[in-house]
Amino acid sequence: KKERCSAFIACGNSTEKGDIVMGHNTHSDFATGQLLNIVLYVTPCNGHSFMMQTSAGFISSTSDWFLCGSGIIGCETTINSINYTPKFGMPYFCRIRQAMQYGDSLDDYVRIMTEQNAGDYACSWLFGDIKQNEIMLFELGLKEKHIRRTKNGVYYGMNSAIGEELRKKETNDTEIDDLSSSSGSRNARLNELLNDKYFGKINLENSKKILNDHYDMFLKKNMLNSRGICKHYETEPFGCTDIKIVNSELASNLSFLGRIGCCGQSFIVEKYVEKHPEYKHWGKVLEDIPVRKWIKIMFS
């Protein structure tokens, strides 16, 4: 399957203000991606209020991007090439919804996501607690998990498991350091941007630059292809379909900055189908994606 999403979370000495900054872009086929255009605010009778990017009828985000009244914020990137069969248990979307609504701490998120884990959606969760100014990388497969926590530093996801034990035991992934692959190129580029070029300067504006980045670490030049953090596929309707960023101040009000579409490149269905007639049948369900401006999304 194709790798889905690029994301990062940073805090302390890595950010301009010492606060938490988080960013995520969704990589999807355009038919699915265009449906993830709803921001839902939920005020339950019990538990914490929360907001999430989602699609109609979903009980959790599924993209995944959420901010909670508890002070916990989160997103994730899929772990590619799992080598196991998921087991009977609680589906991931039930577990993350439970964590969002009832979790009070990062420890609660680990406990809730681990209990009755079905292994149905292996991914690298990036969680932050804006009240404690602490971030966590929580990778979960079936039997294996990998956890890192810090109040100074950066974590990111690009579809290869960071945790070596999880990657070796529960995936067939060999691409994490392969610059010719999407995951390998994005791994190297995210590390370069987050831990070098923008370290200590990560803020909302620089987060836009990071997630809009098209540098191909294999070819060593900017290219609109699958090796960029902002992923593009040249021949099929798949790639980056949205982008979101948030810092502690915005998250405290359940607000964030975002836009549908990727880096300012438009997608016009008629022109695409003319160039790639093998996808003519997709024209019935795809919608044009014009260039859109960043907007602040907030509950009023």
Side-chain angles (χ1 to χ4, degrees):
K1 67 180 179 180
K2 293 184 177 69
E3 301 90 348
R4 298 170 65 89
C5 309
S6 299
F8 72 88
I9 192 166
C11 71
N13 60 1
S14 66
T15 65
E16 184 180 62
K17 297 180 179 179
D19 58 347
I20 294 177
V21 179
M22 182 174 75
H24 178 274
N25 57 26
T26 304
H27 301 164
S28 171
D29 65 84
F30 289 172
T32 302
Q34 68 191 11
L35 302 178
L36 291 165
N37 62 350
I38 295 172
V39 176
L40 183 66
Y41 284 79
V42 180
T43 305
C45 294
N46 299 301
H48 301 290
S49 298
F50 60 89
M51 61 74 58
M52 61 184 180
Q53 177 193 2
T54 189
S55 188
F58 290 176
I59 68 168
S60 68
S61 171
T62 304
S63 50
D64 285 282
W65 175 265
F66 62 86
L67 316 172
C68 304
S70 62
I72 307 295
I73 63 177
C75 63
E76 58 83 18
T77 64
T78 311
I79 292 175
N80 196 37
S81 302
I82 61 170
N83 61 12
Y84 61 82
T85 301
K87 67 176 184 178
F88 181 79
M90 185 181 294
Y92 101 93
F93 51 83
C94 293
R95 286 178 281 123
I96 193 59
R97 169 59 184 267
Q98 183 180 350
M100 290 159 57
Q101 188 167 338
Y102 299 107
D104 295 317
S105 65
L106 296 179
D107 288 332
D108 285 345
Y109 272 64
V110 172
R111 174 182 55 80
I112 293 169
M113 292 303 293
T114 303
E115 290 178 352
Q116 300 183 61
N117 171 33
D120 53 325
Y121 190 55
C123 61
S124 302
W125 292 99
L126 301 175
F127 295 132
D129 184 340
I130 65 172
K131 294 180 179 180
Q132 301 298 323
N133 207 51
E134 182 179 13
I135 60 175
M136 177 170 67
L137 167 66
F138 175 48
E139 297 184 305
L140 183 63
L142 178 61
K143 297 179 180 179
E144 297 294 322
K145 63 183 177 182
H146 170 243
I147 301 172
R148 296 183 185 178
R149 296 172 66 158
T150 187
K151 292 189 175 184
N152 284 293
V154 179
Y155 300 131
Y156 60 81
M158 41 61 217
N159 308 124
S160 283
I162 300 295
E164 186 174 0
E165 287 295 301
L166 192 159
R167 188 173 67 254
K168 288 185 176 180
K169 291 182 179 180
E170 296 195 336
T171 82
N172 295 320
D173 178 25
T174 59
E175 296 183 351
I176 189 168
D177 296 316
D178 179 3
L179 296 183
S180 69
S181 70
S182 175
S183 293
S185 177
R186 287 183 292 130
N187 178 35
R189 184 60 171 169
L190 282 164
N191 182 59
E192 180 178 76
L193 294 178
L194 293 166
N195 289 309
D196 186 7
K197 183 175 182 178
Y198 292 112
F199 192 86
K201 299 177 286 187
I202 299 174
N203 56 22
L204 295 177
E205 287 306 309
N206 286 334
S207 294
K208 293 177 184 178
K209 297 174 185 177
I210 293 166
L211 290 176
N212 281 338
D213 189 79
H214 298 119
Y215 193 78
D216 182 327
M217 294 293 284
F218 181 67
L219 297 177
K220 299 190 182 305
K221 60 181 179 180
N222 286 310
M223 293 281 292
L224 297 182
N225 64 19
S226 64
R227 288 192 284 263
I229 295 170
C230 179
K231 181 181 286 189
H232 295 255
Y233 274 85
E234 297 180 42
T235 59
E236 53 187 299
F238 185 102
C240 181
T241 56
D242 63 57
I243 181 171
K244 298 87 55 179
I245 54 175
V246 70
N247 60 12
S248 295
E249 181 180 0
L250 287 170
S252 67
N253 295 310
L254 299 186
S255 304
F256 68 94
L257 303 182
R259 70 178 177 191
I260 293 292
C262 52
C263 51
Q265 302 286 326
S266 63
F267 175 78
I268 307 302
V269 176
E270 184 177 356
K271 291 183 179 179
Y272 178 81
V273 170
E274 286 180 1
K275 189 174 181 180
H276 303 285
E278 66 272 26
Y279 287 101
K280 184 178 180 179
H281 58 290
W282 283 62
K284 298 177 181 179
V285 296
L286 293 177
E287 296 180 358
D288 291 345
I289 305 175
V291 176
R292 291 187 171 96
K293 297 181 179 179
W294 285 88
I295 60 171
K296 182 178 180 179
I297 299 171
M298 58 188 296
F299 181 69
S300 57

